[in-house]
Amino acid sequence: MAKNRSAPARGLRGSKAGLVLSLGSSALAVIRASKQVGRAKGAHDRLNTADAVAGLLPLITSAALVLRQLRGRRRENPEAA
């Protein structure tokens, strides 16, 4: 079974703190990849730009999934939010 690297740490799995930590790390990865896209565009290298954009898409998807989990938790238990 493949290891999910975007999942929160084992002890925090499913907890609000774990989801927030996962969202934060995803956000940092998106920022880093965005900078890589900018550098590749600045160098006018289409292949590196395409590679950087392709690497950015799964990071954005991962962050969106974690955000959806946090929102779902808030809807299930509004007083804990």
Side-chain angles (χ1 to χ4, degrees):
M1 184 174 188
K3 188 174 184 179
N4 185 358
R5 295 183 189 270
S6 64
R10 186 175 196 89
L12 297 174
R13 184 169 304 212
S15 71
K16 186 176 179 180
L19 292 174
V20 170
L21 183 63
S22 181
L23 182 62
S25 64
S26 293
L28 288 175
V30 167
I31 291 169
R32 184 170 183 228
S34 297
K35 288 181 180 180
Q36 183 182 358
V37 170
R39 284 192 302 269
K41 284 177 74 174
H44 302 293
D45 187 343
R46 288 185 183 180
L47 187 57
N48 275 340
T49 302
D51 182 47
V53 169
L56 185 60
L57 296 176
L59 297 172
I60 293 170
T61 303
S62 175
L65 289 171
V66 172
L67 190 58
R68 183 174 68 179
Q69 284 182 324
L70 281 172
R71 287 182 180 163
R73 251 178 197 273
R74 190 174 300 148
R75 287 186 193 129
E76 289 174 3
N77 196 2
E79 64 274 357

